[in-house]
Amino acid sequence: MTPVSARSGKTLPELFLKAAIEAIEDAGVDRIDSIYVGNMMSGFLQHQEHLGALMSTALGKEGVPAYKVEGACASGGVAANAGVKAVLSGLEDVVLVGGVEKMSGYTTPEVTAGLMMAEDRERVGSTGITFVGLNALIARQYMHKYGVPHEAIAQLPVLLHQNALENPNAEFHKQVSVEDVMKSPLVADPLRLFDCSGIGDGAAAFVLAPLDQARKFTDSPVKVAASAVATDVLSLYQRPDITVFEASRKASAQAYMMAGVHPDDIDLLEVHDAFSVLGIMALEDLGFARKGAGADLVNNGVCAKNGRLPTNTFGGLKARGHPVGATGVYQIAELAMQLSNKAGKCQVDHPSVGLSQSVGGIGSTVAVHILKRTG
Amino acid sequence: MTPVSARSGKTLPELFLKAAIEAIEDAGVDRIDSIYVGNMMSGFLQHQEHLGALMSTALGKEGVPAYKVEGACASGGVAANAGVKAVLSGLEDVVLVGGVEKMSGYTTPEVTAGLMMAEDRERVGSTGITFVGLNALIARQYMHKYGVPHEAIAQLPVLLHQNALENPNAEFHKQVSVEDVMKSPLVADPLRLFDCSGIGDGAAAFVLAPLDQARKFTDSPVKVAASAVATDVLSLYQRPDITVFEASRKASAQAYMMAGVHPDDIDLLEVHDAFSVLGIMALEDLGFARKGAGADLVNNGVCAKNGRLPTNTFGGLKARGHPVGATGVYQIAELAMQLSNKAGKCQVDHPSVGLSQSVGGIGSTVAVHILKRTG
């Protein structure tokens, strides 16, 4: 993966190449059969599509099947799902999944408009509400419905900024306190600056292969035990309860069944904390806490690196950064690094089963992956 | 499929819905497990992404896995490939593949810039050359290298306009002569107006399922015998010979092997004639004629509806229309209609094996599908 940066100065292929080459070298594979590229905004911001052929060419792998997969901010997660299906199909064995996004170098209105492409442009975008504004509605309703104070939710960004201190690829290396969060500028009431992930460029990648083939390249491949995608009605106004992401519940239920595990078996977590409240809701919707009690897991130390369920150990969207179409791939790559003891200073003690949750739009697309240690 | 129109007045979901509902009703399936949406330009033109959840919501199928697949003008072809892999993966059975594009309602410079997203924006787009201009370079070189006169190539649009007369969904219902083509306005020398596909809105869809399950819904399912995607270096300037699309050769070679057939076995063809010369080159690169001899097949009647190799029987990109991200799906849907005797006035006499070729960019991504009659 590349460092996430709002000043990368790099083009889409430059970002992708760095991550792809690192992934291929780390995997030790001698060939790539196909490439799946997760990306959300290249058409709108860079006026560039056709990222499949663009990236296969940049990588010197012209010839192989390659295309872009898009599911808003879950583009990386759904690209991973496409890669898993490609391997399961038997048509391709050694598959490169990459996610890339370039968000810097544009004005705030441009990026804000780009993010609203995740919602219904016609019916919701036309009202003028922003993507942060929609998430602020969720935060307000969540706090009200469950009586959870903002300060409790604010513990999540505090933890994630702490985790990111050890991650050389993190966008932010800055410790913050609950007080810092609560005093940071309002972005969309009640969300404050430190409740929100930032704008950043980045790319991440990993290599998939059938397990028997993967064993030729490494003694301890990480097993993809589940890959599940679910959707929900696209827009917030269509939901009976905006404090629950049904697509998270559905995708995780399928993933648990596919992997033959229970939430209690998960000992490493990557959740989509684009906004602090989303990270808290994820803990609930994925089955780790009842509704309204997600923040307790953070505040009781369960989600800490030395807790029972280390969460976003590289800093999460909040502090590692959120280059939208790449984020789902960062999450899976980070799980894989942890599960193969390659997480460096971010390493937690011998995790066995990790789960990643990648969210597109306002919970409208959710991709869940479960990875297991084999070594 | 919807009629292709430059005055549809319809939104992306409206276009998609019509095709999707028609496909589901025709297939007679009682459920949809997942949705793959081929589209190229929605981010750039409509400022709308997240077409997976947008379309699953519009269709009342919220919940199912759904995402967008993009490979420039081959987006429909690669979406079909993603759908085939999903079925082969065993994770999903009844899969809806749709393609949708809305290109009308924008200025020519806007659509022209949108099409250049298929090429390398940084290195090629920045020179100011247009997508038609790049194809004009190919046409010029092709005519020069093989000594093929423009008039010979112009027979293809004449045939396709003829074929489209019987297709109610065709964008153009207008008979043209070689003289009409040669006298039509220059777009990019030597390409003239009737060498070029037009701008249009449209959507197409079909339903995939494992063959044994498909037999529950119909006595004569069409078998997908092959689905292959290949890429080439993205840009024209990187190619040793711009009169050959290596990705066409590679994808078709793989597809023939997968289907266990030879070009001689193909008796129905859909080629990507975005520009007349590309249709002629396709006949060669897919193995039906030696280089320079493609136009002979058209001029000798081989490609006619009553010939040995009926080609683009619904009018092709030239006359049925080319809503870019949808076109690859139109092609496969048209093959399926022919192979199940549902092609109406476009029907040819009992074809058995059909091949579709969908091209993205300047031959940089090619998806080939081979379909077989089963009934």
Side-chain angles (χ1 to χ4, degrees):
Chain A
M1 54 193 72
T2 72
V4 179
S5 168
R7 289 168 296 277
S8 78
K10 291 194 161 52
T11 64
L12 286 168
E14 286 168 352
L15 291 163
F16 185 87
L17 263 190
K18 184 182 182 307
I21 290 171
E22 196 178 297
I24 291 169
E25 285 179 353
D26 175 70
V29 293
D30 52 7
R31 70 176 211 272
I32 292 293
D33 294 342
S34 63
I35 302 174
Y36 298 89
V37 182
N39 170 270
M40 175 184 176
M41 306 220 275
S42 74
F44 182 76
L45 288 179
Q46 284 83 41
H47 303 177
Q48 177 73 66
E49 291 290 359
H50 212 173
L51 298 194
L54 179 66
M55 299 314 174
S56 60
T57 300
L59 200 55
K61 299 288 180 193
E62 66 274 4
V64 303
Y67 40 85
K68 168 171 164 174
V69 178
E70 186 274 333
C73 315
S75 294
V78 295
N81 181 257
V84 169
K85 283 173 182 156
V87 173
L88 288 175
S89 77
L91 296 182
E92 293 144 21
D93 284 337
V94 184
V95 171
L96 179 72
V97 173
V100 61
E101 202 76 66
K102 180 171 176 61
M103 304 168 75
S104 74
Y106 303 93
T107 64
T108 302
E110 283 171 332
V111 176
T112 302
L115 291 170
M116 268 306 276
M117 297 195 299
E119 247 283 2
D120 187 326
R121 164 95 185 153
E122 224 189 319
R123 295 192 178 81
V124 178
S126 59
T127 67
I129 195 167
T130 64
F131 196 72
V132 189
L134 287 164
N135 283 280
L137 295 177
I138 293 176
R140 174 71 70 201
Q141 175 71 4
Y142 181 90
M143 294 178 195
H144 170 75
K145 181 166 181 178
Y146 302 112
V148 177
H150 196 160
E151 288 78 0
I153 293 170
Q155 293 279 3
L156 184 62
V158 172
L159 170 67
L160 301 184
H161 273 275
Q162 176 73 33
N163 287 352
L165 291 175
E166 307 287 9
N167 176 7
N169 292 322
E171 181 169 13
F172 302 112
H173 293 106
K174 175 189 169 74
Q175 205 150 10
V176 302
S177 65
V178 169
E179 196 179 9
D180 291 333
V181 177
M182 299 305 296
K183 283 188 173 167
S184 63
L186 264 180
V187 178
D189 195 13
L191 295 176
R192 293 180 176 270
L193 188 63
F194 286 135
D195 286 305
C196 306
S197 53
I199 300 298
D201 307 343
F206 56 79
V207 177
L208 292 167
L211 201 51
D212 57 334
Q213 294 199 38
R215 287 193 197 280
K216 294 179 196 164
F217 303 111
T218 171
D219 291 334
S220 53
V222 174
K223 181 179 175 179
V224 181
S227 175
V229 175
T231 52
D232 194 356
V233 285
L234 181 64
S235 300
L236 216 54
Y237 77 85
Q238 298 167 313
R239 311 264 176 87
D241 180 355
I242 64 173
T243 67
V244 177
F245 283 171
E246 286 297 340
S248 267
R249 289 183 167 177
K250 185 172 286 190
S252 60
Q254 288 174 353
Y256 291 133
M257 195 165 60
M258 208 179 287
V261 300
H262 184 268
D264 289 347
D265 301 316
I266 304 296
D267 55 12
L268 183 65
L269 197 56
E270 288 271 349
V271 297
H272 189 97
D273 63 303
F275 304 97
S276 51
V277 66
L278 298 193
I280 300 300
M281 281 167 56
L283 294 170
E284 302 161 358
D285 297 335
L286 297 171
F288 301 106
R290 63 174 169 71
K291 289 308 295 183
D296 297 346
L297 296 187
V298 180
N299 301 327
N300 296 342
V302 173
C303 293
K305 276 171 69 177
N306 61 355
R308 205 206 60 70
L309 187 64
T311 299
N312 294 6
T313 56
F314 286 73
L317 282 62
K318 176 67 206 81
R320 174 242 293 127
H322 182 27
V324 289
T327 295
V329 182
Y330 272 91
Q331 293 177 314
I332 293 172
E334 289 168 356
L335 285 186
M337 288 166 74
Q338 288 282 12
L339 293 168
S340 51
N341 294 326
K342 292 178 179 172
K345 288 188 173 176
C346 295
Q347 186 67 48
V348 300
D349 186 30
H350 210 78
S352 297
V353 187
L355 181 148
S356 71
Q357 174 229 31
S358 176
V359 178
I362 320 288
S364 322
T365 298
V366 176
V368 170
H369 287 81
I370 296 177
L371 272 56
K372 288 184 182 176
R373 173 189 295 266
T374 64
Chain B
M1 52 193 74
T2 73
V4 179
S5 168
R7 288 169 295 277
S8 78
K10 291 194 162 51
T11 64
L12 286 169
E14 286 168 351
L15 291 164
F16 184 87
L17 263 190
K18 183 180 183 308
I21 290 171
E22 196 179 298
I24 291 169
E25 286 180 352
D26 175 70
V29 293
D30 51 8
R31 69 178 211 270
I32 292 293
D33 294 342
S34 62
I35 301 174
Y36 298 89
V37 182
N39 171 270
M40 175 183 176
M41 306 220 274
S42 74
F44 183 77
L45 288 179
Q46 283 84 42
H47 303 177
Q48 177 73 66
E49 291 289 359
H50 213 174
L51 299 194
L54 179 65
M55 300 312 173
S56 59
T57 300
L59 199 55
K61 300 288 180 191
E62 66 276 2
V64 303
Y67 41 85
K68 167 171 164 174
V69 178
E70 187 275 330
C73 316
S75 294
V78 296
N81 183 257
V84 169
K85 283 172 181 157
V87 173
L88 288 175
S89 76
L91 296 183
E92 293 145 21
D93 284 336
V94 184
V95 172
L96 178 72
V97 173
V100 61
E101 201 77 66
K102 181 172 176 61
M103 305 169 73
S104 75
Y106 304 93
T107 64
T108 302
E110 283 170 332
V111 177
T112 302
L115 290 170
M116 268 307 275
M117 296 194 300
E119 246 286 2
D120 186 325
R121 164 96 184 152
E122 222 190 322
R123 294 192 179 82
V124 179
S126 59
T127 67
I129 195 167
T130 64
F131 197 72
V132 189
L134 288 164
N135 283 281
L137 295 177
I138 293 177
R140 174 71 70 202
Q141 176 70 6
Y142 181 90
M143 293 178 196
H144 170 74
K145 181 167 181 177
Y146 302 111
V148 177
H150 196 161
E151 288 78 1
I153 292 170
Q155 294 278 3
L156 184 62
V158 171
L159 170 66
L160 300 184
H161 272 275
Q162 177 72 33
N163 287 352
L165 291 176
E166 307 287 8
N167 176 6
N169 292 322
E171 181 168 12
F172 302 112
H173 293 106
K174 174 188 169 75
Q175 205 150 10
V176 301
S177 65
V178 169
E179 197 178 10
D180 291 335
V181 177
M182 298 305 296
K183 283 188 173 168
S184 64
L186 264 180
V187 178
D189 195 10
L191 295 176
R192 292 179 176 272
L193 188 63
F194 286 134
D195 287 305
C196 306
S197 52
I199 300 298
D201 307 344
F206 56 80
V207 177
L208 292 167
L211 202 52
D212 57 333
Q213 294 200 38
R215 288 193 198 281
K216 292 180 199 164
F217 303 112
T218 170
D219 291 334
S220 53
V222 174
K223 181 179 175 181
V224 180
S227 175
V229 174
T231 52
D232 194 356
V233 285
L234 181 65
S235 300
L236 216 53
Y237 77 85
Q238 298 167 312
R239 311 261 176 89
D241 181 354
I242 64 172
T243 67
V244 177
F245 283 171
E246 287 296 340
S248 268
R249 289 183 168 177
K250 185 172 285 189
S252 59
Q254 289 174 352
Y256 290 134
M257 196 165 61
M258 208 179 285
V261 300
H262 185 267
D264 290 348
D265 300 317
I266 305 295
D267 55 10
L268 183 65
L269 198 55
E270 289 270 349
V271 297
H272 189 96
D273 62 304
F275 303 98
S276 50
V277 66
L278 298 193
I280 300 299
M281 283 168 55
L283 295 170
E284 303 162 358
D285 297 336
L286 298 171
F288 301 106
R290 63 175 169 72
K291 289 308 293 183
D296 297 346
L297 296 186
V298 180
N299 300 326
N300 295 342
V302 173
C303 293
K305 276 171 71 177
N306 60 357
R308 205 205 61 69
L309 188 63
T311 299
N312 294 6
T313 56
F314 286 73
L317 282 63
K318 177 67 205 82
R320 173 242 293 127
H322 183 27
V324 290
T327 294
V329 181
Y330 272 91
Q331 294 177 312
I332 293 172
E334 289 167 357
L335 285 185
M337 287 167 74
Q338 288 283 11
L339 292 168
S340 52
N341 294 326
K342 291 178 179 173
K345 288 189 174 175
C346 294
Q347 186 67 47
V348 299
D349 186 30
H350 211 77
S352 296
V353 187
L355 181 148
S356 71
Q357 174 230 30
S358 175
V359 177
I362 321 286
S364 321
T365 298
V366 176
V368 170
H369 288 81
I370 296 177
L371 272 56
K372 289 185 181 176
R373 174 189 295 266
T374 64

